[in-house]
Amino acid sequence: MFITPAFAQTAGGQASGAGILVQMAPLVLIFVVFYFLLIRPQQKKLKEHKAKIDAVKKGDQVITGGGLVGKVVRVDEIYADIELAPGLKVKAVKSTLTEVIDPTAAKPAND
């Protein structure tokens, strides 16, 4: 008795193609922004890191994932033998290396 029928409804409930496009546009825009601001730079950084680790050779100074700094003595496809101190060598998986130190940019520890 006190409730009136809703007359604001459209006849037939037809959805137009433009209405769906307007609803999907913000979602597409958010995905594009995430791709260019988050996903793409991280993939680029990961590719550079992988190339740097794959290029490790004998004589390079490296930092392992555990924070150990040493000089590479031997390298194969999967492993790298690292000399941490004279007479102390460890075998590390190459993928756990985090950084290759540039010998020209490194400064002595006592300066």
Side-chain angles (χ1 to χ4, degrees), residues 31-106:
F31 178 75
V32 169
V33 168
F34 273 143
Y35 178 76
F36 282 107
L37 293 180
L38 297 174
I39 298 170
R40 191 167 173 240
Q42 187 163 355
Q43 286 177 342
K44 183 179 176 185
K45 190 176 181 181
L46 184 65
K47 185 187 285 186
E48 290 172 359
H49 178 69
K50 184 173 177 3
K52 188 188 300 185
I53 297 304
D54 287 341
V56 168
K57 61 188 181 303
K58 181 179 177 181
D60 286 345
Q61 276 195 331
V62 295
I63 301 175
T64 65
L68 301 174
V69 179
K71 187 175 184 180
V72 176
V73 178
R74 188 178 68 83
V75 179
D76 61 15
E77 265 184 53
I78 300 171
Y79 300 106
D81 288 347
I82 303 169
E83 185 175 28
L84 301 175
L88 178 64
K89 294 178 187 173
V90 295
K91 182 178 263 190
V93 178
K94 277 177 56 174
S95 63
T96 63
L97 300 177
T98 57
E99 189 69 36
V100 178
I101 300 172
D102 186 13
T104 59

